[in-house]
Amino acid sequence: SIFCPEHLLKSLEKAGVLNRTRTMDRGKRIRKNWSSSWTVLEGGILTFFKDSKHSAAGALRHPSTLTTPEHTLELRGATLAWAGRDKSSRKHVLELRTREGSEFLIQHDSDGIIAAWHKAIADSIGRLGTD
Ligand code: I3P
């Protein structure tokens, strides 16, 4: 049943607070503006919610940041790679390009946390295929 807790937990692939910035909008380079946001990966869609002002605790003080999506990315046909030094001075940065030509950088100070996101997003892209 779709109502069983086990099913609900499986459909949610991953969620947490990440630093992110958009760098391209449909093929056009745009100015970086890093912000921290509650991020949810579910059903092949990656959603960045509004800036949570630093932390999960901050998000709890501003509940709209948990419910108002700022960017919704379709992962079908997207590509994911570790960003090179030319892309950011930060460490542990992932580069995600969507099929429509948007590019986002995703970052976390913890290498364990960013590695887990890398795996979850790559698995999701792999499951979706390219057609
Ligand atoms: C940018 C800002 C970013 C930085 C970017 C700067 O300056 O400092 O944090 O990206 O570097 O241009 P501004 O605030 O004036 O827009 P990183 O933190 O990812 O290095 P970049 O130009 O090398 O991308």
Side-chain angles (χ1 to χ4, degrees), residues 21 31-32 34 86-90 105:
T21 180
R31 188 176 179 176
K32 274 182 188 170
W34 284 102
D86 55 322
K87 291 284 177 144
S88 177
S89 61
R90 297 184 177 210
L105 300 181

Side-chain angles (χ1 to χ4, degrees), residues 43-44 74-78 99-100 124-131:
E74 262 257 36
L75 293 183
R76 186 183 300 276
R99 209 167 38 172
E100 318 81 67
S124 183
I125 292 171
R127 271 199 305 277
L128 291 163
T130 49
D131 43 79

Side-chain angles (χ1 to χ4, degrees), residues 8 21 29 51 55 63 116:
L8 291 170
T21 180
R29 188 149 293 280
D51 190 345
S55 65

